[in-house]
Amino acid sequence: MSGHPVTLPAHDLPKQRPLVDVRRVVGISSFVVVGMMLLEGARAMLLGHRPVLDNTAALVEYQTNTATGMLVVITIDTFLMTALIVFLGAFRQMVTNHNRDLRWIADIAFGAGIVFVAVTLVGDAMAGGAALDTIGTVPDPSTSRALTVGHILMFGVVGCVLTALVMAACGVIVLNSTLFPRWVGWAAFACAATNMLSVPTTFLGTDPDFWASSGGWATTAFATMPFLLWTGLVGVWTIRGQRAHEVRLQRRS
């Protein structure tokens, strides 16, 4: 009897169950992202509109009155970004498991998403710094204005371009795989387009009452909300619609 170990054919090897269900992680983390975004948006609406930057006295008064609320929003956003990291990582792994040829595109989406998270947290730190500057100290108007302008840019052109790259990469992945229906890919491209359309608002001033200004509600409506809707669609489809989608693909083949 030979002392060499017996090697079973690949088809006879027992299939090991994955330690983590990546699809479920994608779905759950997407729901957390959507929930945190809605909670953050509702809390931010209660803060009201900031005054114009030229009125430094009113700006300082506004930041003083909303300091606690702003810190709450930033705390929520921190958890949101944490959930987004999990979503991006799990989505990348799901794509890699499905088709390794698409891994490099998934890496682009993941890398751009991580940079977006970092930029968002820096913007949060600026807004949080302006809020903290009003608690227990005499606020510095020049500091408040500078931090506010930096915060606007982080959530404006910088965030929009990075989100557009994430969505464009996800659109390419969906259209070149069978993970999702093709309309999910086209929705990702539409989201990328609306984010790019929000970029010119950077050059339209900082008037908070002008919807298309830098920091106006247009960026939220055309950049943030489409990304929110797409993430939610991915989560719902990953958990509820994937099995039916696979059955339809088998029938077509």
Side-chain angles (χ1 to χ4, degrees):
M1 183 174 181
S2 175
H4 296 288
V6 177
T7 303
L8 295 175
H11 57 80
D12 291 335
L13 292 176
K15 293 183 179 180
Q16 294 183 352
R17 186 176 181 179
L19 296 177
V20 179
D21 187 348
V22 177
R23 294 182 183 275
R24 187 173 297 274
V25 173
V26 169
I28 293 175
S29 59
S30 71
F31 293 155
V32 174
V33 169
V34 173
M36 287 291 179
M37 276 190 173
L38 293 176
L39 181 61
E40 177 187 351
R43 188 67 184 88
M45 289 178 61
L46 297 178
L47 299 179
H49 294 291
R50 64 166 176 79
V52 295
L53 297 180
D54 288 339
N55 192 344
T56 54
L59 179 62
V60 170
E61 181 181 2
Y62 167 79
Q63 291 178 337
T64 301
N65 295 333
T66 61
T68 301
M70 181 60 69
L71 293 175
V72 171
V73 169
I74 292 171
T75 301
I76 296 173
D77 203 34
T78 302
F79 286 103
L80 189 160
M81 290 298 112
T82 302
L84 184 58
I85 292 174
V86 176
F87 172 80
L88 292 169
F91 184 84
R92 172 183 175 275
Q93 186 61 40
M94 185 174 67
V95 173
T96 302
N97 292 342
H98 177 74
N99 187 345
R100 294 189 65 85
D101 291 337
L102 294 173
R103 180 174 180 175
W104 68 275
I105 305 177
D107 288 344
I108 291 176
F110 178 76
I114 293 300
V115 176
F116 170 79
V117 169
V119 166
T120 301
L121 293 177
V122 172
D124 283 341
M126 289 182 173
L132 287 175
D133 190 49
T134 66
I135 300 178
T137 61
V138 179
D140 184 355
S142 60
T143 300
S144 297
R145 176 168 178 166
L147 290 174
T148 300
V149 172
H151 167 82
I152 291 174
L153 283 176
M154 290 290 184
F155 284 92
V157 59
V158 180
C160 289
V161 172
L162 290 171
T163 303
L165 179 56
V166 174
M167 289 290 92
C170 289
V172 172
I173 289 171
V174 173
L175 294 182
N176 288 276
S177 69
T178 58
L179 283 170
F180 303 96
R182 294 180 65 84
W183 61 264
V184 175
W186 292 117
F189 284 128
C191 182
T194 57
N195 272 269
M196 291 304 297
L197 288 175
S198 302
V199 171
T201 60
T202 304
F203 306 96
L204 299 179
T206 59
D207 186 355
D209 295 324
F210 180 38
W211 66 276
S213 66
S214 184
W217 63 262
T219 302
T220 301
F222 298 112
T224 304
M225 290 305 296
F227 174 68
L228 167 66
L229 292 174
W230 188 87
T231 304
L233 286 174
V234 169
V236 171
W237 188 265
T238 301
I239 292 180
R240 304 284 297 181
Q242 181 63 29
R243 181 171 299 177
H245 180 53
E246 291 176 349
V247 170
R248 284 194 293 270
L249 290 175
Q250 291 176 357
R251 289 176 179 176
R252 291 177 184 176
S253 59

